[in-house]
Amino acid sequence: MNYIKYFNGIESASLDEYSKNVNERLSKILDIEKKGDSYEIKDFTSGLEFEHWKRILGQRNSVLLLSYNAAMYYFEKGIHDDEFFKDSKKINWENHLNFKYFSENFLLTSFSILENIGYLLKVFYKIKLKKQEFVSFSTIVQKLNGKKAAEKYDLKNTEELLNRLNNIKLKDQRYKNLTTVRNDISHNNPPLILTNPVTEVDEITTVGTGVYKSSNDIRKIMDEFLEIYIEIIDILFEISILLNKK
């Protein structure tokens, strides 16, 4: 019997090796700040709130990159699942399982990061939400790009930057790919597991082979998120400069 070792070899892995090209660019997070317009208590408390969410973003960023490096460690060790249907015997199931664990953690954390950015934007623009409304990247960006956004919020010439965020949310295929795979992990058939071979359409049941999304497919989506994440942080940094101008 073959025994799969969880996290085999991880103690010898360099957990910053694969993210070196993004570490410096994401360090801009530390330079994003919110300065008060006055000495009023509201400016003081909003500054505290902003630093709270910024601190959590920094923590989530660390988890994201640790998960990325660990996932890439097992990916580079070799999973060999590109020809899943032709020769599944070639698959290294130990590396497969460990990559799956860390890649899922990365992809779920990626959405936590986006929602966290929604909180920062909420504080930046002093957005008031109704009791039943929840903070999310999607809803906050939508509010800041609405027809009456300029009437409700002091945008301070950040309209073009906010439009770029909105384009990522609405039009960017990388964002759509991320959303699909995240929903599959949370609610549907997770990647790296063969989909249900049984389908039912209009009361007709068919049996097929199922669909398999490979580790290479997932790595591509992970890399795409890092690209988007860097772009969003750059935009947020530019927003902070404009909003903090006296």
Side-chain angles (χ1 to χ4, degrees), residues 9-188:
I10 198 69
E11 66 279 357
S12 63
S14 174
L15 293 180
D16 66 352
E17 178 180 354
Y18 300 100
S19 64
K20 287 178 181 176
N21 62 326
V22 300
N23 287 346
E24 184 176 351
R25 297 190 67 181
L26 289 176
S27 66
K28 272 189 177 179
I29 292 170
L30 300 173
D31 299 320
I32 298 171
E33 57 183 3
K34 183 184 186 302
K35 296 178 181 177
D37 297 322
S38 66
Y39 293 102
E40 293 184 5
I41 188 66
K42 285 185 178 180
D43 277 334
F44 174 72
T45 55
S46 66
L48 285 178
E49 185 180 1
F50 190 86
E51 288 302 316
H52 170 80
W53 292 114
K54 178 179 163 182
R55 184 166 58 253
I56 293 177
L57 177 60
Q59 293 169 353
R60 285 173 169 162
N61 185 70
S62 297
V63 171
L64 182 88
L65 296 181
L66 281 171
S67 297
Y68 180 81
N69 282 285
M72 292 306 109
Y73 169 73
Y74 289 108
F75 183 88
E76 294 296 334
K77 283 183 75 174
I79 297 173
H80 313 299
D81 62 340
D82 286 336
E83 298 186 351
F84 181 87
F85 292 104
K86 291 183 180 179
D87 192 0
S88 61
K89 292 181 180 179
K90 289 172 59 177
I91 297 175
N92 185 314
W93 290 105
E94 185 169 275
N95 292 341
H96 181 281
L97 181 146
N98 288 310
F99 175 81
K100 181 178 182 296
Y101 175 86
F102 286 110
S103 62
E104 286 190 359
N105 197 44
F106 173 95
L107 292 163
L108 293 173
T109 302
S110 68
F111 256 78
S112 296
I113 280 173
L114 289 174
E115 311 302 35
N116 206 138
I117 290 169
Y119 274 98
L120 292 176
L121 289 168
K122 170 186 172 290
V123 180
F124 255 149
Y125 292 97
K126 302 176 183 177
I127 296 175
K128 302 296 183 184
L129 297 175
K130 297 177 182 177
K131 189 174 181 180
Q132 69 272 21
E133 288 184 304
F134 294 96
V135 176
S136 74
F137 177 76
S138 181
T139 57
I140 297 299
V141 169
Q142 183 178 346
K143 282 181 179 293
L144 291 169
N145 282 274
K147 292 180 180 180
K148 296 184 179 181
E151 297 175 16
K152 289 184 176 180
Y153 315 112
D154 187 1
L155 301 183
K156 291 187 178 179
N157 299 314
T158 60
E159 288 89 343
E160 188 272 332
L161 294 167
L162 292 170
N163 186 55
R164 284 165 58 187
L165 287 179
N166 201 42
N167 283 337
I168 289 174
K169 180 179 74 75
L170 293 177
K171 301 178 182 179
D172 198 310
Q173 187 60 48
R174 297 170 300 174
Y175 184 85
K176 293 177 182 178
N177 293 340
L178 174 72
T179 301
T180 298
V181 76
R182 180 264 182 186
N183 288 341
D184 285 343
I185 291 170
S186 298
H187 309 295
N188 305 311

Side-chain angles (χ1 to χ4, degrees), residues 216-240:
N216 202 44
D217 295 327
I218 299 306
R219 179 183 182 172
K220 183 174 181 291
I221 292 172
M222 293 169 71
D223 288 338
E224 286 176 347
F225 173 72
L226 289 179
E227 293 170 2
I228 292 173
Y229 184 25
I230 289 169
E231 291 172 23
I232 291 174
I233 292 300
D234 285 344
I235 292 169
L236 202 62
F237 179 72
E238 292 180 52
I239 285 174
S240 74

